[in-house]
Amino acid sequence: MSVFRLEPFRDPARELERLMSLAAGGTRAPLGMPLDLYRGDDGSYHVEADLPGVDPDSIEVVVDSGALMIQAERTPAYGQSEQVIVAERSQGSFARQLSLGEGVDSENLTADYAGGVLHVTIPASPRSQPRRVEITHTTSAAGTISGSTVEQGDAPAPSAGGAD
């Protein structure tokens, strides 16, 4: 039985990498962990990573030196002795690393795995929240410039240290 898959809009670089991996190792290399990253109304960041069929115990979320690392592993349901006809689902270890940058509270992030999707919430740091700056009005003479006044049409008086 032969199965052909035609995907005209597939990334050619990724396809070449997959074919090279298939030729070298005889198995399909993992294509990655697709994810979405968005910012919520409250300023927090949300990461949703597709990990269907992954054992929840194999998922690891680590924050270190301003980076978020997500790692997981998917093992096939079939064994070494079974004849595999088609293996299109990615197997093996997956990892993604995201730079957190400034303005996030990396101490209080949370992670939840449900329905094959890992959801990581990274709250915004209270220091990075927009705030309104109060403008004060003063009535002091700070806006007054001291010195001589010049009437319109009069030339200013030359200074003592002026040019010859």
Side-chain angles (χ1 to χ4, degrees), residues 4 6 11 44 56 60 82 88 109 114 147:
F4 291 96
L6 176 63
D11 179 19
S44 64
E60 189 173 346
E82 296 173 300
E88 293 183 343
L109 65 91

Side-chain angles (χ1 to χ4, degrees), residues 75-90:
T75 56
Y78 49 85
Q80 294 286 348
S81 63
E82 296 173 300
Q83 181 183 9
V84 178
I85 308 302
V86 176
E88 293 183 343
R89 299 181 332 156
S90 300

Side-chain angles (χ1 to χ4, degrees), residues 45-127:
Y45 292 92
H46 299 269
V47 179
E48 292 183 346
D50 285 348
L51 294 170
V54 169
D55 179 13
D57 293 332
S58 78
I59 301 173
E60 189 173 346
V61 177
V62 177
V63 177
D64 186 28
S65 302
L68 171 68
M69 172 71 85
I70 302 171
Q71 296 175 316
E73 187 171 340
R74 183 183 301 122
T75 56
Y78 49 85
Q80 294 286 348
S81 63
E82 296 173 300
Q83 181 183 9
V84 178
I85 308 302
V86 176
E88 293 183 343
R89 299 181 332 156
S90 300
Q91 307 294 331
S93 296
F94 304 90
R96 290 294 297 265
Q97 184 171 345
L98 303 170
S99 176
L100 294 177
E102 298 293 322
V104 298
D105 184 3
S106 62
E107 297 293 320
N108 293 309
L109 65 91
T110 59
D112 178 54
Y113 179 70
V117 177
L118 175 69
H119 185 111
V120 179
T121 302
I122 309 163
S125 172
R127 291 174 286 166

Side-chain angles (χ1 to χ4, degrees), residues 3 19 21 23-24 45 91 115 136 146 152:
V3 177
L19 291 172
S21 174
Y45 292 92
Q91 307 294 331
T136 59
S146 63
Q152 188 174 2

